[in-house]
Amino acid sequence: MYVQELQPVADSLGLSALVATLPLVIVLVLLGGVRLKAHLAGLAGLLAAALVACLAYGMPVGQTLSGAAQGAAFGLFPILWIVVNALWVYRMTVRTRHFDVLRRSFGRLSDDPRIQALVVAFCFGALLEALAGFGAPVAICSVMLVALGFDPVRAAVVALVANTAPVAFGAMGTPVVTLAQVTGLPLDTVASVVGRQTPLLALVVPLVLVGLVDGRRGLRETWVPALACGTAFAVAQFAAANYASAQLADIGAALAGAAALAAVPHTRVPAPEAVRASVLTGTRSEELDERDPRAEVVRAYTPYALIVVIFSVAQIPAVKDRLAQTTRTYDWPFLDVVDPDGNPVGGNLFTWPVVATGGTLVLLAGIGTAAVLGVHARVALREWAATVYELRYAILTVTSVLALAYVMNLSGQAATIGHFVAAAGAGLAFLSPVLGWFGVAVSGSDTSANALFGSLQVTAARESGLSPELLAAANSSGGVLGKMISPQNLTIACAAVGLAGREGDLLRKVLPWSLGLLLVMCLIVVGQSSPVLDWMLP
């Protein structure tokens, strides 16, 4: 049995916290300063966490390795199981050219570039974030906007800023699922609190987007459809996160936002020529004028409809109970850890939801997609294997970061940092979103930031008398605002629109928006931690 210690270094909480932060500092410096590839930085951080666990905290080598293995296993299933299958669905739509049909469908909704930015970057970007995440929305939406005639820099900035509100529920809810796993909090509770924070961002982001596209004129002339889109998105995300399924939150929100746009009469009003001349470059792809048969348009939307239907059916109480019966729980081998009070920690057990997991449901949708789009089984299997190969470095990054997080949590490093941070007292509510923002800004992933800091936030909350659910959610909600300035996302955006080497230009354009919206989120969390807004919490 290994008993966690809070201050193993010279019996000092401060010195112990300093040593415990070394793995995180190493990851952040290697990523943000040295610009080392994410999977190498993750492996270096994992090695540092293991050394600190063994040498400073006295955790047996066998238990340290076992804890790292469990973290890696959780990274593979269910996290990467979701991501791989979601990206597989997208790849099949690209292979059959139904993604092009979908893109042309969006382009014909309106010829106003300000509305196109909302449809493509905000609504469709949220749908892509729901299905794949990991930079896919930024890359794909940037290219689509350039094809619609946007200047490359403007297209990249719009795609980056739009990739905020849906991030916490991206990749079929992977960030909040990870947050619940590493903190031991119920998924429904964590998703519910996040669903009462990020929708407030969704109200603002569409207005920011039309302002980025066309300045004050854009706000003055298109604030009605922008506000309608943001309101519908926010309401749907709140409702799904609180009363349906965290995995469906972004899908429902994206569809609701697009439907609201289509319902506003102003959306279909032709854009003034002065607007088009000042916003577009004149390089609009002629392919957008191609007319697609209605049947092909329906087939292009079918994969996403299948996902919505399958996840909705899985939430029916009788079906949900039946799926839950397939979940298996195992004693993780060579791991026996108790906290300083002698209570066994959750990491001693490993839960394997065989069927009742988002990845398996997306896999079923993918099989249906292959049938509807006419993809031969052999081709579908090749596409699945190609998806795994494409994600090989992301797989290594996620497994190493989750292994690092598990080692830090099980050895007691996260608890030490949490007790030390708790000294901030009431100020912790303000700093909590900043910690998540910093983690995503450097790692490029809300999932990774939740894995790194989720347990720390909960420990700090309990020490300071704040709500653990609130601060855990704040970590994820603040983190979404670091997505637009992460080096990975900036690089992806530049590569997608042919601006290689101009990451610094994009950073200068999006940083003020990232910081401004982060301040808003910090104030929201402070309000929710006090009588001012505590009525918002479940």
Side-chain angles (χ1 to χ4, degrees):
M1 179 183 295
Y2 168 69
V3 181
Q4 295 176 341
E5 287 188 64
L6 291 180
Q7 27 189 63
V9 180
D11 200 29
S12 167
L13 183 61
L15 288 176
S16 299
L18 185 64
V19 172
T21 58
L22 283 177
L24 296 178
V25 171
I26 288 172
V27 172
L28 300 180
V29 170
L30 290 179
L31 274 177
V34 181
R35 300 292 177 89
L36 194 65
K37 292 185 182 298
H39 63 282
L40 297 177
L43 290 171
L46 172 58
L47 177 60
L51 290 175
V52 171
C54 295
L55 301 179
Y57 280 75
M59 190 177 194
V61 174
Q63 297 216 42
T64 301
L65 295 177
S66 181
Q70 186 184 12
F74 178 69
L76 290 172
F77 194 98
I79 294 177
L80 288 164
W81 181 236
I82 297 172
V83 176
V84 168
N85 290 323
L87 196 55
W88 175 52
V89 172
Y90 162 71
R91 284 180 64 99
M92 286 193 289
T93 66
V94 172
R95 183 181 182 89
T96 59
R97 298 189 178 279
H98 284 89
F99 178 75
D100 294 331
V101 175
L102 196 66
R103 179 163 58 89
R104 288 192 289 269
S105 175
F106 290 156
R108 285 191 292 270
L109 178 63
S110 173
D111 75 340
D112 190 326
R114 300 164 299 191
I115 302 300
Q116 290 174 345
L118 295 177
V119 174
V120 174
F122 188 69
C123 297
F124 187 58
L127 190 60
L128 289 173
E129 183 67 36
L131 296 177
F134 287 88
V138 170
I140 295 167
C141 293
S142 296
V143 172
M144 289 178 70
L145 290 174
V146 170
L148 289 168
F150 277 67
D151 169 75
V153 173
R154 198 192 308 259
V157 170
V158 167
L160 285 166
V161 175
N163 191 219
T164 50
V167 168
F169 296 101
M172 308 309 296
T174 299
V176 292
V177 170
T178 303
L179 185 63
Q181 178 73 19
V182 301
T183 59
L185 299 173
L187 173 60
D188 290 345
T189 304
V190 173
S192 178
V193 180
V194 175
R196 295 162 192 250
Q197 294 172 342
T198 56
L200 299 176
L201 291 177
L203 293 172
V204 178
V205 171
L207 296 171
V208 173
L209 294 179
V210 297
L212 285 171
V213 172
D214 193 32
R216 292 182 180 177
R217 179 177 60 186
L219 277 172
R220 185 173 62 252
E221 296 180 358
T222 56
W223 69 269
V224 173
L227 189 59
C229 177
T231 301
F233 187 102
V235 170
Q237 191 182 63
F238 163 80
N242 281 272
Y243 306 113
S245 164
Q247 288 89 345
L248 285 177
D250 280 349
I251 295 177
L255 297 177
L261 271 178
V264 175
H266 186 91
T267 298
R268 297 186 179 276
V269 176
E273 194 56 39
V275 173
R276 294 184 57 81
S278 64
V279 173
L280 303 181
T281 62
T283 57
R284 182 177 182 272
S285 174
E286 294 181 1
E287 179 199 0
L288 295 172
D289 296 323
E290 181 180 337
R291 291 290 169 180
D292 300 298
R294 183 177 296 276
E296 290 303 298
V297 175
V298 172
R299 292 175 76 192
Y301 282 93
T302 298
Y304 310 106
L306 281 173
I307 290 175
V308 173
V309 170
I310 289 173
F311 271 85
S312 298
V313 170
Q315 294 306 310
I316 297 173
V319 177
K320 190 174 184 179
D321 292 341
R322 180 65 177 170
L323 292 177
Q325 292 174 11
T326 66
T327 299
R328 299 289 181 266
T329 301
Y330 304 96
D331 288 321
W332 191 259
F334 311 114
L335 199 61
D336 185 11
V337 181
V338 296
D339 64 21
D341 296 326
N343 301 312
V345 301
N348 294 326
L349 301 176
F350 183 75
T351 302
W352 183 28
V354 183
V355 180
T357 183
T360 302
L361 298 179
V362 176
L363 177 65
L364 295 176
I367 294 171
T369 296
V372 171
L373 301 186
V375 180
H376 192 277
R378 187 183 303 107
V379 176
L381 285 173
R382 277 205 303 266
E383 285 296 321
W384 194 89
T387 302
V388 174
Y389 181 77
E390 179 184 337
L391 291 173
R392 61 194 184 281
Y393 292 120
I395 291 172
L396 187 54
T397 300
V398 171
T399 52
S400 61
V401 169
L402 264 296
L404 179 156
Y406 267 61
V407 170
M408 290 190 65
N409 292 340
L410 290 169
S411 65
Q413 295 173 56
T416 297
I417 299 172
H419 280 75
F420 183 76
V421 172
L428 184 60
F430 186 88
L431 294 175
S432 185
V434 177
L435 191 60
W437 173 85
F438 185 67
V440 176
V442 176
S443 71
S445 166
D446 200 37
T447 299
S448 297
N450 286 343
L452 287 171
F453 299 134
S455 181
L456 183 156
Q457 297 268 22
V458 168
T459 301
R462 287 172 175 154
E463 287 298 307
S464 59
L466 295 173
S467 164
E469 293 82 5
L470 174 62
L471 294 201
N475 191 83
S476 192
S477 299
V480 307
L481 300 169
K483 191 88 168 179
M484 69 179 83
I485 64 169
S486 70
Q488 292 92 322
N489 258 20
L490 292 171
T491 301
I492 288 171
C494 285
V497 298
L499 295 174
R502 295 186 58 183
E503 289 85 355
D505 294 340
L506 291 186
L507 178 61
R508 284 190 289 274
K509 289 181 178 293
V510 299
L511 182 59
W513 294 108
S514 179
L515 293 174
L517 292 172
L518 174 63
L519 177 60
V520 171
M521 181 53 65
C522 290
L523 294 176
I524 289 172
V525 175
V526 169
Q528 291 177 334
S529 70
S530 69
V532 178
L533 295 178
D534 63 356
W535 53 269
M536 293 179 63
L537 299 179

